[in-house]
Amino acid sequence: MKKFTNKRNPILPLEYHIPDSEGHVMSDGNLYIYGSYDDREDVYCSEKYYVVSTPDMEHWTISDESLTGEQIPWFNDPDALKYPGIDWSHPTPFIRKMLEQAAADGEDMKEKFEKQEEEEKPALLFAPDCIEKDGKYYLYFCMQDDSEGVAVSDSPQGPFKNPIQLPCGGIDPAVFIDDDGQAYFYWGQLFSHGVKLNEDMISFDREGIVDDLVTEEEHFFHEGSSMRKIGDTYYYVYADMQRGKPTSLGYATGKSPLGPFTYRGIIIDNADCDPASWNNHGSIECVNGQWYVFYHRCSRGVQQHRRLCIEPITINPDGSIDEVKMTSQGVGEPFAPGEKILGYQACGLKGKAYIGVGGLYGERLMNLAEGDEAVFRYVKSNSPYTRASFEASGDGEIEILMNGETAGKVKFHDGVQTGDEISMPAGEYEVTLLIKKAENLYIDSLTLS
């Protein structure tokens, strides 16, 4: 178990990569976050889960392992029941595009997937969700063989035990309990499915399944179902591919937990977090009267190594949710004058730059080239800004922009900074580092004052 204090994005210590975040305030008043865990170089996720919790959005605890793939008895069991995931007989535009591209490359994508199904796989645990009922905590999970299951604990942090396979196939389970006590289960990719759970919370009648609650073609649905209720409206949050790939969290609303649902828009998009950014998955939750969106950002120039991030959001009187930008400040106030901003807290990147391993703080801005940009949101001062100090290595030149206006320029030679004067009136700013020149330039931190 690990305890730490932080309000900045990314939220967790650098060694913990917990994406696919489902945030729930449980009956003890604490917020618990359930997600998968990236610790492999070749694929998403891993064979274990950890639970993150906080009483106040500042003091955090990461549990010991709450469930492992080796505990799942049906995984890689040839005699276990099998349920299909993606429906190849009804390919969506996304699947058709994949098939066409594979065919152009001389590859049969459907055959490749079918062969993979016959191979023995590591017991990877994909995105989970959890809910409390009558003092028990039910963790719903999925695995890379398209199986869905549920395990139970007396604690919101686990460990979760006695896993039971559910009679459905797909990925990314979600669970929701309505005001009348009825529980619902959701899952699926490209097409989502929903069903009423039985009173035992570990079974349901397959005859009651409602298909196509949200779809790629009508709602830009890719995966990652998450359900909440605000007032008398049900909010279906998911990975949204309106902008070409599922880097957004979008949402649809309806007046019933099983639809129909109307597409409403995008809550947040992580496309600019890294050159390799591909997906997003998260949730919304109200904590101490404030609504937040929980999402992830990738790092290191690859799709994996995704990190938990959080932003406050606004639910408007008409039920809509304003799209918010990724920030470095996270759930805290803007960075104060003299407060060190770490390079890996950059919330927007353009060009070849990415956040990689190394430097003074474990990770830093690297692979910098002329024309690249790194964005930090936000800083705030009641006095004019006059200085910019960096911890860096290598050679280069950086133009510092604040809300798009030039505040000053700094140069580096062998990591030694030349010039630190900037000029900008008091206020709140988005800071952009525009790389004018770079030769083995690495940025560990910057401090504005």
Side-chain angles (χ1 to χ4, degrees):
M1 184 174 292
K2 184 178 182 68
K3 294 182 180 292
F4 64 100
T5 301
N6 183 38
K7 285 190 170 185
R8 305 303 189 195
N9 285 327
I11 292 293
L12 304 183
L14 294 181
E15 65 267 29
Y16 289 93
H17 297 84
I18 299 182
D20 308 328
S21 47
E22 276 287 351
H24 291 284
V25 176
M26 298 299 189
S27 61
D28 63 3
N30 293 329
L31 170 73
Y32 293 86
I33 299 173
Y34 302 86
S36 49
Y37 185 72
D38 282 352
D39 72 351
R40 300 171 63 103
E41 302 296 329
D42 55 338
V43 294
Y44 293 126
C45 307
S46 67
E47 295 95 335
K48 51 197 170 187
Y49 289 144
Y50 297 91
V51 180
V52 180
S53 61
T54 178
D56 56 9
M57 304 295 280
E58 181 177 8
H59 300 90
W60 303 85
T61 300
I62 302 176
S63 73
D64 297 328
E65 290 179 3
S66 59
L67 184 71
T68 65
E70 65 182 16
Q71 294 176 245
I72 312 308
W74 63 83
F75 189 78
N76 277 332
D77 178 358
D79 297 323
L81 291 171
K82 306 292 181 185
Y83 299 93
I86 293 177
D87 184 358
W88 290 100
S89 65
H90 297 89
T92 67
F94 176 76
I95 292 295
R96 287 198 296 270
K97 186 176 180 180
M98 284 180 57
L99 294 171
E100 290 166 1
Q101 183 59 53
D105 296 337
E107 183 178 47
D108 186 330
M109 182 67 72
K110 182 174 181 293
E111 182 181 1
K112 178 181 177 181
F113 270 88
E114 290 172 346
K115 285 183 177 179
Q116 287 177 344
E117 290 299 312
E118 299 170 1
E119 299 172 357
E120 187 161 321
K121 308 175 181 68
L124 301 182
L125 293 166
F126 291 167
D129 196 4
C130 184
I131 204 76
E132 176 185 5
K133 186 174 183 181
D134 298 331
K136 297 287 186 180
Y137 298 85
Y138 297 85
L139 182 76
Y140 299 83
F141 60 91
C142 60
M143 305 186 77
Q144 65 166 327
D145 64 352
D146 281 336
S147 66
E148 303 262 357
V150 56
V152 187
S153 176
D154 293 325
S155 165
Q157 293 179 314
F160 295 91
K161 300 179 179 179
N162 303 317
I164 294 171
Q165 186 176 5
L166 292 167
C168 61
I171 62 170
D172 298 353
V175 62
F176 167 74
I177 297 180
D178 207 349
D179 299 335
D180 61 1
Q182 175 63 56
Y184 296 83
F185 182 68
Y186 306 86
W187 73 97
Q189 186 177 35
L190 309 177
F191 306 89
S192 77
H193 316 275
V195 68
K196 288 183 177 181
L197 283 169
N198 292 332
E199 185 66 25
D200 61 12
M201 298 293 287
I202 59 173
S203 66
F204 62 79
D205 181 2
R206 281 186 54 83
E207 296 298 317
I209 294 174
V210 179
D211 296 318
D212 302 341
L213 293 178
V214 290
T215 67
E216 177 188 300
E217 292 168 297
E218 186 177 350
H219 307 87
F220 307 104
F221 172 75
H222 185 69
E223 59 194 16
S225 298
S226 180
M227 180 63 68
R228 297 292 185 275
K229 187 179 185 181
I230 304 174
D232 63 353
T233 301
Y234 298 86
Y235 285 71
Y236 204 129
V237 178
Y238 50 86
D240 181 315
M241 55 191 312
Q242 180 188 17
R243 294 172 180 169
K245 55 182 182 177
T247 56
S248 300
L249 284 182
Y251 72 109
T253 60
K255 294 301 180 182
S256 163
L258 293 176
F261 293 98
T262 301
Y263 181 70
R264 298 293 297 273
I266 288 172
I267 302 171
I268 195 165
D269 188 348
N270 74 14
D272 291 337
C273 70
D274 186 280
S277 181
W278 167 251
N279 76 352
N280 208 339
H281 184 159
S283 59
I284 61 173
E285 181 77 347
C286 187
V287 184
N288 296 324
Q290 171 65 56
W291 280 91
Y292 296 91
V293 59
F294 302 82
Y295 68 105
H296 65 237
R297 308 201 292 237
C298 68
S299 59
R300 305 185 189 178
V302 297
Q303 293 181 10
Q304 295 82 25
H305 303 296
R306 297 166 296 172
R307 301 200 181 285
L308 169 64
C309 295
I310 307 173
E311 312 290 352
I313 59 172
T314 298
I315 312 297
N316 295 314
D318 66 357
S320 63
I321 303 175
D322 295 331
E323 181 175 352
V324 295
K325 294 181 178 180
M326 297 181 290
T327 73
S328 307
Q329 74 181 62
V331 298
E333 295 297 318
F335 287 86
E339 183 178 355
K340 187 174 292 186
I341 307 170
L342 303 180
Y344 69 75
Q345 292 173 324
C347 60
L349 299 170
K350 292 184 180 179
K352 300 178 180 179
Y354 60 81
I355 295 164
V357 177
L360 300 174
Y361 305 104
E363 292 191 356
R364 56 186 175 175
L365 276 174
M366 60 193 306
N367 204 45
L368 296 164
E370 182 180 343
D372 288 358
E373 295 181 10
V375 178
F376 300 85
R377 303 185 183 102
Y378 294 94
V379 300
K380 186 176 182 180
S381 175
N382 294 324
S383 302
Y385 285 95
T386 60
R387 292 191 63 207
S389 301
F390 288 79
E391 291 177 299
S393 59
D395 299 342
E397 181 179 341
I398 297 175
E399 181 177 358
I400 302 167
L401 305 175
M402 300 178 72
N403 286 358
E405 297 184 13
T406 300
K409 294 182 181 179
V410 296
K411 295 182 179 181
F412 303 91
H413 180 64
D414 289 336
V416 177
Q417 179 177 337
T418 301
D420 64 2
E421 293 184 2
I422 61 173
S423 179
M424 192 60 60
E428 183 173 329
Y429 294 94
E430 171 185 286
V431 178
T432 301
L433 306 182
L434 174 59
I435 309 303
K436 307 298 286 187
K437 297 178 183 177
E439 185 175 347
N440 296 320
L441 180 62
Y442 301 87
I443 299 174
D444 291 288
S445 76
L446 68 151
T447 304
L448 302 180
S449 58

